[in-house]
Amino acid sequence: MRVIRARVLGFCAGVRRTVDLALDAARGQAGRTRLFTMGPLIHNGWTLRELESLGFSVLDEENLPETLADSTTVIRAHGIGPETRRQLLRRGTKVIDATCPKVRKSQLRARDLSKKGFVVFIAGEKNHGELRGIRMFAPNSLVVENREEAFHAAKTLFSKNKTAKTAMIGQTTISAPEYSAVCAAVTQFFPDLTVYDTICSATLARQEALAGLCTEADALVIAGDPASSNTRRLLAAAAERGKPAWIVPDASALPPELASFRVAGLSAGTSTPDALINEIEQAITML
Ligand code: SF4
């Protein structure tokens, strides 16, 4: 079967840096100290199994061990809150901060805005690690998942404080139309809302490349993990264009229906490693 790769796909710079820092730690520390990642390092099961094979264990921030002496802990790409970092240091682990620099920028921006007395709206998925971390930097922040939630949160705030200073930060993977809709809902009550453009261009680049792919391919394979938010968004973008599409976590999970199409398009989320993309591409060509 013929396969066309998206012009841009797979690891973004932030995830590549995070994984490289973990691999460097494994090379430098293996056998000498215990190795941990704070939460799953990235949203990709294949990579997590690789890290496990190198000796990494995953820490749960709700349930940290009493001591982490003689260990090294790599912070995940989506970052953590300041209190979790303090808890790690208190337990004696050496911390390697592999937070994506763009996420770090949002964390620091949230902290600074909060210190200046702003109520910070954060648009995105409440339970996503990135947002859970950012909101810890702005204790008075309001996380809103969509336009309706933004409207109600702004309305409630307006009823309590009509002159509140407000600002908006978005999850790096939120789509531009969703972000605009959320901002518009808040400006109905707070026209002076300060909006920060926090959408990561890596996500946009993959979405645009996928749009191009949809014009050439009959069906699409999105290599990646369903737990990855930007991978799910690629699937949704293909569905919006009426293309049959599947998220495929590894070559053994290719859907049998794919064989009935002539040309397959191949895209991949920002947390999908090159080796996995190559393996899946190879498997499609054999169909
Ligand atoms: S998608 Fe963007 S914000 Fe997210 S890890 Fe990659 S570079 Fe960083």
Side-chain angles (χ1 to χ4, degrees):
M1 181 176 199
R2 189 169 158 233
V3 187
I4 305 175
R5 274 189 179 224
R7 197 174 37 79
V8 186
L9 77 172
F11 270 6
C12 59
V15 166
R16 198 173 290 282
R17 173 179 172 273
T18 301
V19 173
D20 285 350
L21 283 169
L23 295 179
D24 285 350
R27 276 190 285 269
Q29 305 294 336
R32 287 195 276 148
T33 69
R34 293 178 294 159
L35 291 167
F36 296 104
T37 61
M38 185 61 252
L41 197 69
I42 63 171
H43 282 154
N44 184 267
W46 195 89
T47 304
L48 298 183
R49 286 190 291 278
E50 285 281 303
L51 292 171
E52 195 181 345
S53 74
L54 293 172
F56 279 97
S57 303
V58 179
L59 291 173
D60 173 4
E61 65 188 297
E62 305 296 332
N63 197 13
L64 290 175
E66 296 230 327
T67 175
L68 288 167
D70 298 322
S71 73
T72 297
T73 301
V74 183
I75 306 291
R76 63 185 176 217
H78 293 133
I80 56 173
E83 180 53 29
T84 308
R85 179 188 291 261
R86 274 193 287 277
Q87 292 294 336
L88 286 173
L89 292 172
R90 204 168 289 152
R91 284 165 168 77
T93 190
K94 176 186 172 199
V95 170
I96 295 178
D97 190 352
T99 308
C100 170
K102 291 181 186 175
V103 175
R104 185 71 184 144
K105 196 170 167 186
S106 289
Q107 292 177 340
L108 298 180
R109 182 165 276 148
R111 183 196 66 187
D112 293 347
L113 286 165
S114 181
K115 278 186 183 162
K116 288 177 187 162
F118 280 81
V119 175
V120 184
F121 286 83
I122 308 175
E125 298 165 81
K126 280 192 182 78
N127 291 323
H128 193 281
E130 177 186 334
L131 260 61
R132 286 209 312 272
I134 293 172
R135 71 189 304 184
M136 294 298 134
F137 283 81
N140 62 345
S141 57
L142 299 168
V143 178
V144 289
E145 293 216 346
N146 50 44
R147 193 185 66 81
E148 289 73 27
E149 282 191 21
F151 180 87
H152 288 297
K155 189 177 176 187
T156 305
L157 177 63
F158 188 74
S159 69
K160 293 180 193 157
N161 182 0
K162 292 184 173 41
T163 58
K165 290 193 293 181
T166 56
M168 179 71 78
I169 290 175
Q171 189 172 339
T172 51
T173 49
I174 195 169
S175 76
E178 275 179 81
Y179 195 41
S180 299
V182 165
C183 293
V186 177
T187 52
Q188 288 182 48
F189 298 93
F190 298 100
D192 294 334
L193 175 76
T194 304
V195 177
Y196 291 94
D197 179 5
T198 49
I199 299 178
C200 177
S201 58
T203 310
L204 277 181
R206 280 150 191 75
Q207 285 174 358
E208 283 169 10
L210 180 126
L213 200 56
C214 284
T215 63
E216 299 179 82
D218 303 320
L220 262 70
V221 169
I222 319 288
D225 197 310
S228 154
S229 147
N230 76 86
T231 301
R232 290 197 306 273
R233 280 177 195 281
L234 289 172
L235 182 73
E240 276 165 23
R241 289 170 175 81
K243 287 286 167 187
W246 300 268
I247 290 179
V248 174
D250 60 61
S252 69
L254 280 172
E257 311 92 281
L258 187 63
S260 64
F261 295 93
R262 202 174 50 84
V263 181
L266 178 60
S267 178
T270 55
S271 48
T272 310
D274 304 338
L276 181 57
I277 298 171
N278 294 340
E279 186 183 296
I280 291 174
E281 181 177 29
Q282 182 67 29
I284 301 173
T285 60
M286 307 294 279
L287 288 176

